[in-house]
Amino acid sequence: MYAKVIVDVPAKDTNRAFDYIIPPSLEPWVEVGSRVGVPFGSRVIQGFVVELRESSDYELHKMREIKHVLDPIPPLNGELVELSRWMSRKYACHEITALQAMIPGALKAKYERKIIVSGPKAQPPVEDDREREIIDYILSKESLSMEQLLRRFPADGPLLKEMLIRGRLAEEQEIKDRLSKKTVLTVFPPENPQLLEACLAQLPENAKRQRQLIEHLQTNPEPVKLADLSKRQGISSSAVKALADKGWIALREVEVFRDPYENRVFERTTSLQLTDEQQAIYDEIAASLRMRTHQVFLLHGVTGSGKTEVYLQAIEVCLNQGREAIVLVPEISLTPQMVERFKSRFGDWVAVLHSRLSHGERYDEWRKIQMGKVKVAIGARSAVFAPFSNLGLLIVDEEHEASYKQEENPKYHAGEVAVARGRQSRAVILLGSATPSLESYHRTQTGEYKLLKMPSRVQGRPLPAVQVIDMREELKAGNRSMFSRALHQAIEDRLQKQEQMVLLLNRRGYSTFVMCRSCGYVAGCPHCEISLTYHHNSRTMRCHYCGYAERELNSCPSCKSAHIRFFGAGTQRVEEELVRLFPGIRVIRMDVDTTNQKGAHEKWLQLFRSRQADVLLGTQMVAKGLDFPYVTLVGVIAADTVLNLPDFRSAEKTFQLLTQVAGRAGRHHLPGEVVIQSYTPEHYSIQCASMHDYSRFVAQELKLREAREYPPFWKLILVTLSHGQIPLLVRAGETLADEIRQQWRRLSRHATDAGGDGRLEVLGPVASPISRIKDRYRFQCMIKYRGDVAISGIMDGALSRLEDTVSKEKLQISVDVDPQMMM
Ligand code: ADP
Ligand code: ZN
Ligand code: ZN
């Protein structure tokens, strides 16, 4: 047998599969998705098996053998390998980079592994002779690697594997960055209960504690953790030790999966009676699941419309079919509250994957999926790679969230990957949001996705009333505070009524754009219709798209006022101001500074939930998914901070943020109120958000995007080049841009003849918004295209022109397909 292997050398020359011979002893272990060690040049390196073959076209005498298999159970499967191929084409990354992104970090660490027998040593269950022999052999060895075991039992590959999957054998690995696997001392009663009788008869009357233990085991014959025995039954561990020494019972270390939620008790919930709106949507999704067809649904449900209940019941349909489900949630929304809703419905069938878990915890959760012990995986971005093999449903909650895009290589978008994976495995995809992204919404118009709508909140609760305050008027009226009179009044009112409030300040807009406080004028680029960014060091204002720059302004070009300045106020300043204006006010400030410790985020939310604070003040993190019954006021300090970011999505992001944060108010019996402060209250994103009018917003925004040649009509690829010397960078950037243009000209001549409608433009090279990082300068080219463009061929061709500079001069090139971050 032969294997095609993608080796772990991320370079252009090696971005293809190499052929290797599978030695007969390894044949039962090598599958598509296996990680293997293979000779490559003079070294042995890691690789992933992507295909098995009976024959090879490669010259046999030159071919080498796979040296070893790294994991007894492959970490990936055929479906994920296929997905990595798709990713490498879509995101212009090496296949190995995509493959490595799919496996948990713990697997990448250096480790040694050995095979151990798990389960009771003293009383093995009925096994066949072969199995007995294998177990005895392992027990007789101090430490045994899988390879040694294979060498000893060359014909028993399938049995060994089966024992591993069954859990009779396990591989134990010491991973440097974690304290090996977690084990607990466990007490095993003898399998034959009569032995307990015999033991009791032999124990002296005064051995009270030992008697107590035996009596307990008589009524509870299951293996039990030693710690539980002493904690819950008050049985001393010395009594256990004494009986174990005499051989009546067995005491062994048993591996446990670390469960970060192990100390929480989840009350079981059952399905709620769906509302009519929910029912209609559920019926559509369930029908698609039952037909086992691939279909992408975009569920546009206003905040509080009960999307989660629809998710839960759709998952139930999927599980009943014997298929598995993945739920993606933005990292920030993956709170215990969120997890609880899934755990309390599906109990131990749920694995949770998120980055706040330690490497080891994450690995354990991942292995539950790999071993088929769970059927539902819920997690952030990378959970889209959960190694299920019979996937029926993929849910992407808050699908519009920018955090689904990974900003490091491979720069994938988890929602896009979910759709691609679903297409492969004929699964149903459910994208949900109160503010769907323009990209997804557009696809419902072209017929790629199907739009489902839930326009009302459950139980007839109204959406909150929204007031937009014109801050220019406040200034005119002599109010220079950061709180308008209306917001001031509303805060005072809530303090009196002992209700709670959420105040939002978007820090991402900190000190970046230049605005007139008298008339709301914002300095924009004459060529790009986006705002200029203030650069403090050079005292200039710059365009991040085309490179246009001008000197900072001393007065407003529009109204001549001197109240022009770069804009932004930190959360800390808002907190100080609150405390000054409302003595005794209890404020919880949540921003990157106060939540960078593990568990801090949850601690603050818990504190707020228990009403030990009046105000939850923060950045975007307070806008998403939170559900507090006593919140009746939501205040947005400055809606414009996002609006003026140099990003073509700024209106969309403003609309989303305002809608999401407004959705935090009045979710329960108390009605909610929202106050939005703005210097440009007439802007359509603010107007539409204040009227909860998504349709009007998308209609207007889509028109603008088309006119300005932005996504979703045009596609973007951002290529960033970095190097220590500017002249080299500029040359490389120009080579790249020229090459792309030339390739396109050549191709489009044929394409147009064939009736193609493709268009392509290259902007740049210009200095990147962050023009230097770690002493490396950065330049970028933006490629825009639409219609019939064979983009991956063009990119490949152009990038290969720079191969030499990359290898000889250490030029770095980063390609970001469908970029989310423009700064
Ligand atoms: P969304 O995610 O759409 O913002 P949620 O799923 O959080 O909304 O639902 C809002 C509230 O409505 C939750 O407290 C939820 O328990 C409740 N809810 C959802 N569906 C129903 C239903 N069919 N009957 C009663 N309450 C429901
Ligand atoms: Zn002005
Ligand atoms: Zn510009």
Side-chain angles (χ1 to χ4, degrees):
M1 283 287 277
Y2 304 91
K4 288 196 165 288
V5 176
I6 301 271
V7 294
D8 192 5
V9 183
K12 194 158 193 318
D13 301 342
T14 49
N15 191 29
R16 62 182 179 88
F18 291 85
D19 287 21
Y20 286 92
I21 299 166
I22 308 173
S25 66
L26 290 184
E27 259 179 33
W29 303 89
V30 177
E31 291 176 49
V32 171
S34 290
R35 271 194 318 163
V36 291
V38 290
F40 195 79
S42 56
R43 300 174 296 157
V44 173
I45 62 172
Q46 220 188 78
F48 288 86
V49 174
V50 295
E51 204 183 320
L52 295 179
R53 290 229 176 155
E54 294 291 342
S55 62
S56 167
D57 310 329
Y58 197 64
E59 291 154 82
L60 197 57
H61 66 278
K62 283 193 191 162
M63 225 189 295
R64 301 164 81 179
E65 283 192 351
I66 288 178
K67 275 270 189 267
H68 43 249
V69 179
L70 271 68
D71 324 84
I73 301 170
L76 302 178
N77 55 34
E79 196 191 310
L80 288 167
V81 166
E82 195 184 328
L83 192 62
S84 77
R85 243 172 252 147
W86 176 86
M87 282 174 70
S88 119
R89 277 194 311 271
K90 162 90 191 174
Y91 298 109
C93 67
H94 300 302
E95 221 170 307
I96 189 68
T97 313
L99 289 163
Q100 292 286 19
M102 294 178 171
I103 62 171
L107 274 186
K108 294 174 204 162
K110 290 249 175 286
Y111 54 85
E112 305 215 333
R113 64 176 76 219
K114 59 181 188 177
I115 292 288
I116 58 160
V117 178
S118 64
K121 193 193 298 192
Q123 297 87 18
V126 190
E127 284 158 349
D128 67 35
D129 292 347
R130 202 75 201 135
E131 205 165 319
R132 182 73 255 169
E133 199 184 330
I134 292 170
I135 286 175
D136 286 342
Y137 181 73
I138 298 171
L139 292 177
S140 73
K141 298 286 175 191
E142 183 68 16
S143 162
L144 192 68
S145 73
M146 197 182 66
E147 277 174 273
Q148 290 167 319
L149 188 64
L150 271 177
R151 233 171 286 139
R152 173 67 183 73
F153 298 97
D156 288 308
L159 175 60
L160 290 171
K161 191 159 179 179
E162 193 266 326
M163 289 169 77
L164 274 160
I165 291 169
R166 193 173 0 117
R168 193 67 182 98
L169 300 183
E171 40 146 11
E172 193 164 73
Q173 38 192 319
E174 299 276 344
I175 292 178
K176 271 189 188 155
D177 60 355
R178 56 175 262 222
L179 304 162
S180 82
K181 259 175 208 163
K182 191 176 166 195
T183 59
V184 290
L185 270 175
T186 305
V187 176
F188 289 92
E191 218 156 65
N192 180 352
Q194 281 167 358
L195 284 176
L196 290 173
E197 287 290 337
C199 173
L200 266 188
Q202 283 191 17
L203 279 176
E205 273 305 315
N206 62 1
K208 283 225 179 66
R209 292 184 161 164
Q210 294 180 39
R211 299 188 75 91
Q212 188 196 353
L213 170 59
I214 296 295
E215 280 158 11
H216 175 77
L217 292 178
Q218 278 181 320
T219 46
N220 301 278
E222 296 298 310
V224 57
K225 289 182 204 164
L226 181 61
D228 283 354
L229 270 184
S230 49
K231 212 161 39 194
R232 301 215 181 117
Q233 310 299 331
I235 292 167
S236 77
S237 40
S238 58
V240 175
K241 186 89 175 30
L243 284 172
D245 285 347
K246 290 181 214 153
W248 291 108
I249 58 173
L251 186 59
R252 285 180 35 75
E253 295 275 359
V254 170
E255 180 200 345
V256 291
F257 289 107
R258 268 156 295 204
D259 182 351
Y261 297 92
E262 104 183 318
N263 295 323
R264 294 178 58 108
V265 182
F266 294 100
E267 214 168 290
R268 266 316 244 234
T269 59
T270 48
S271 302
L272 298 175
Q273 173 76 39
L274 295 177
T275 64
D276 290 349
E277 272 183 16
Q278 285 172 325
Q279 186 70 43
I281 278 154
Y282 166 84
D283 287 345
E284 282 232 28
I285 298 165
S288 233
L289 280 166
R290 294 202 178 102
M291 290 190 309
R292 293 176 183 258
T293 46
H294 166 65
Q295 167 82 54
V296 186
F297 293 106
L298 175 64
L299 172 54
H300 173 214
V302 299
T303 55
S305 60
K307 292 185 285 296
T308 312
E309 188 61 32
V310 173
Y311 300 160
L312 289 166
Q313 298 198 22
I315 293 172
E316 206 169 318
V317 176
C318 170
L319 297 187
N320 287 340
Q321 291 183 308
R323 295 200 284 173
E324 298 126 0
I326 295 176
V327 184
L328 301 184
V329 177
E331 186 76 49
I332 217 169
S333 316
L334 201 52
T335 57
Q337 193 192 356
M338 178 80 194
V339 170
E340 186 172 342
R341 293 173 81 172
F342 289 83
K343 284 243 177 188
S344 56
R345 196 67 61 88
F346 303 112
D348 292 340
W349 288 52
V350 180
V352 182
L353 298 164
H354 63 78
S355 65
R356 270 166 289 155
L357 300 180
S358 70
H359 253 10
E361 286 170 334
R362 223 182 126 80
Y363 177 55
D364 286 348
E365 291 291 296
W366 182 85
R367 274 194 338 144
K368 285 191 211 162
I369 301 168
Q370 188 197 26
M371 314 266 283
K373 292 193 193 308
V374 296
K375 299 288 174 202
V376 181
I378 163 165
R381 198 163 58 215
S382 64
V384 72
F385 303 124
F388 286 128
S389 51
N390 191 17
L391 204 53
L393 179 63
L394 267 146
I395 295 171
V396 185
D397 189 30
E398 312 280 2
E399 68 86 31
H400 63 278
E401 274 284 312
S403 67
Y404 281 123
K405 176 83 195 229
Q406 169 150 301
E407 297 298 343
E408 303 101 63
N409 261 336
K411 299 185 174 178
Y412 69 91
H413 187 287
E416 291 271 309
V417 176
V419 171
R421 187 170 179 186
R423 201 180 305 129
Q424 268 175 223
S425 50
R426 314 226 308 154
V428 169
I429 311 294
L430 180 53
L431 311 173
S433 173
T435 51
S437 67
L438 275 262
E439 281 87 346
S440 296
Y441 184 82
H442 182 62
R443 287 186 184 149
T444 66
Q445 295 187 322
T446 60
E448 280 172 85
Y449 297 175
K450 184 160 195 333
L451 183 62
L452 305 172
K453 286 194 208 175
M454 297 206 292
S456 27
R457 283 186 163 178
V458 287
Q459 297 179 335
R461 290 171 200 145
L463 285 163
V466 181
Q467 221 189 127
V468 181
I469 304 297
D470 187 339
M471 292 303 277
R472 295 167 302 194
E473 294 298 324
E474 294 292 315
L475 193 68
K476 268 189 212 151
N479 177 12
R480 289 173 171 252
S481 134
M482 62 176 78
F483 303 108
S484 60
R485 289 159 295 176
L487 185 55
H488 194 116
Q489 181 60 45
I491 294 173
E492 209 144 69
D493 179 63
R494 296 305 126 80
L495 287 174
Q496 212 155 51
K497 290 194 198 143
Q498 302 191 339
E499 293 172 358
Q500 293 181 294
M501 42 212 139
V502 168
L503 293 182
L504 173 84
L505 181 89
N506 206 331
R507 211 171 82 139
R508 273 174 45 203
Y510 189 64
S511 291
T512 53
F513 66 99
V514 179
M515 191 179 78
C516 171
R517 295 239 303 169
S518 303
C519 75
Y521 166 87
V522 172
C525 174
H527 308 295
C528 301
E529 290 192 76
I530 52 164
S531 56
L532 295 174
T533 296
Y534 182 68
H535 284 240
H536 188 72
N537 290 339
S538 56
R539 303 207 163 256
T540 53
M541 306 184 299
R542 290 170 179 276
C543 171
H544 285 174
Y545 279 111
C546 69
Y548 172 85
E550 61 181 74
R551 293 193 62 79
E552 76 176 319
L553 297 169
N554 295 318
S555 64
C556 172
S558 167
C559 76
K560 310 292 175 234
S561 158
H563 287 296
I564 189 154
R565 57 167 211 192
F566 56 94
F567 203 78
T571 39
Q572 208 170 345
R573 257 198 65 211
V574 180
E575 185 183 14
E576 285 161 17
E577 192 72 355
L578 277 171
V579 171
R580 194 177 66 79
L581 292 172
F582 308 95
I585 194 169
R586 298 168 304 168
V587 182
I588 290 177
R589 175 160 64 90
M590 253 177 47
D591 54 30
V592 276
D593 301 328
T594 63
T595 55
N596 52 15
Q597 265 177 13
K598 187 176 169 172
H601 188 148
E602 276 126 48
K603 191 186 78 191
W604 293 128
L605 294 181
Q606 194 48 45
L607 213 62
F608 190 62
R609 180 175 304 284
S610 60
R611 303 179 73 191
Q612 295 182 54
D614 309 301
V615 179
L616 181 63
L617 161 69
T619 52
Q620 292 99 311
M621 19 180 127
V622 303
K624 314 288 164 65
L626 307 178
D627 189 3
F628 301 110
Y630 290 94
V631 171
T632 59
L633 171 67
V634 165
V636 179
I637 312 268
D640 320 76
T641 50
V642 189
L643 201 52
N644 292 298
L645 288 182
D647 180 339
F648 70 87
R649 287 193 184 88
S650 64
E652 182 182 2
K653 284 181 179 162
T654 300
F655 178 82
Q656 285 167 348
L657 189 64
L658 295 179
T659 305
Q660 294 289 342
V661 73
R664 300 311 115 216
R667 291 171 69 87
H668 295 262
H669 52 288
L670 298 167
E673 180 194 355
V674 180
V675 178
I676 295 175
Q677 304 188 151
S678 167
Y679 287 90
T680 46
E682 65 283 352
H683 194 279
Y684 64 99
S685 65
I686 295 173
Q687 285 299 318
C688 292
S690 75
M691 287 181 284
H692 309 291
D693 196 346
Y694 177 80
S695 314
R696 211 184 96 200
F697 173 75
V698 279
Q700 183 149 1
E701 180 69 7
L702 281 174
K703 238 186 283 159
L704 281 175
R705 295 278 183 92
E706 181 146 41
R708 291 178 190 168
E709 308 192 335
Y710 281 132
F713 302 95
W714 287 69
K715 294 195 180 307
L716 300 180
I717 297 178
L718 179 67
V719 183
T720 305
L721 310 164
S722 77
H723 194 267
Q725 289 156 15
I726 294 179
L728 183 141
L729 265 180
V730 173
R731 263 200 316 278
E734 271 160 7
T735 308
L736 182 76
D738 286 347
E739 194 62 29
I740 292 173
R741 287 189 196 106
Q742 271 179 36
Q743 298 248 3
W744 168 239
R745 241 175 273 133
R746 242 190 326 259
L747 279 172
S748 63
R749 233 173 285 137
H750 300 295
T752 329
D753 291 347
D757 62 346
R759 288 175 60 193
L760 180 144
E761 279 169 34
V762 187
L763 305 178
V766 296
S768 298
I770 304 171
S771 59
R772 191 168 66 152
I773 292 179
K774 289 184 187 158
D775 289 326
R776 292 178 73 93
Y777 295 96
R778 304 167 81 234
F779 270 74
Q780 67 184 35
C781 292
M782 183 73 85
I783 299 136
K784 290 170 71 166
Y785 66 96
R786 75 177 293 172
D788 240 347
V789 177
I791 193 70
S792 62
I794 295 175
M795 290 299 293
D796 272 0
L799 290 171
S800 63
R801 272 290 305 271
L802 291 173
E803 273 290 289
D804 263 4
T805 328
V806 168
S807 56
K808 292 200 188 106
E809 309 279 351
K810 301 276 176 283
L811 171 74
Q812 278 175 12
I813 304 179
S814 131
V815 179
D816 192 353
V817 176
D818 305 337
Q820 278 285 337
M821 294 252 286
M822 298 294 155
M823 305 178 57

